[in-house]
Amino acid sequence: MATEVERERLRGDLDADEKALSDAEIDDAFARAEAAYGENAAAVAAGARVIAIQQLLASAAKRADSRQNASAERRSQVFEQLLRLRTLYTAEVQTALDGVAWGGLRRTPTRVEEYPNA
């Protein structure tokens, strides 16, 4: 379950209000991300954003452009922008996962000393 701070950060990052993403939806996104990425906090946070974007994409797909006289409203652009944002957070998840996978391999090997004629 997400904390209140995590909920507000997610809504702020995605520019969504409580109508677009309810507390229950955000809690579910964090639970699903935690089930997928375990104890990696950075991957869980980015994964929850990807899941939330998937939910927003479903509602944005229904939006249509409208034009009346000299004014126009292009609401379908929201879908393309969310796709770009999803790509950004998917890359962030991968970066968080790569940092854990290679973390133990960067140590320098210990020096081996040999004593001739010993």
Side-chain angles (χ1 to χ4, degrees):
M1 185 163 134
T3 64
E4 190 62 36
V5 172
E6 289 173 329
R7 288 185 195 121
E8 292 304 318
R9 285 180 181 167
L10 188 134
R11 285 188 184 117
D13 288 347
L14 301 182
D15 193 31
D17 57 356
E18 289 185 17
K19 265 183 164 176
L21 289 171
S22 68
D23 289 347
E25 290 172 327
I26 293 173
D27 290 342
D28 179 56
F30 271 94
R32 290 166 57 188
E34 190 172 337
Y37 303 114
E39 297 296 319
N40 189 341
V44 168
R49 281 157 178 73
V50 170
I51 293 168
I53 289 171
Q54 289 292 112
Q55 293 171 347
L56 292 173
L57 276 170
S59 66
K62 303 176 211 170
R63 297 181 182 177
D65 294 341
S66 63
R67 178 179 212 95
Q68 184 176 5
N69 298 334
S71 64
E73 189 174 1
R74 302 178 77 192
R75 299 176 76 194
S76 64
Q77 288 180 339
V78 174
F79 187 80
E80 285 86 16
Q81 296 299 327
L82 284 171
L83 285 176
R84 290 183 188 149
L85 194 61
R86 182 181 64 176
T87 304
L88 184 130
Y89 282 112
T90 303
E92 192 173 313
V93 168
Q94 191 60 42
T95 301
L97 292 175
D98 287 345
V100 170
W102 296 99
L105 298 178
R106 297 184 185 197
R107 292 183 292 174
T108 57
T110 57
R111 177 179 271 183
V112 177
E113 294 184 27
E114 294 183 14
Y115 299 104
N117 302 327

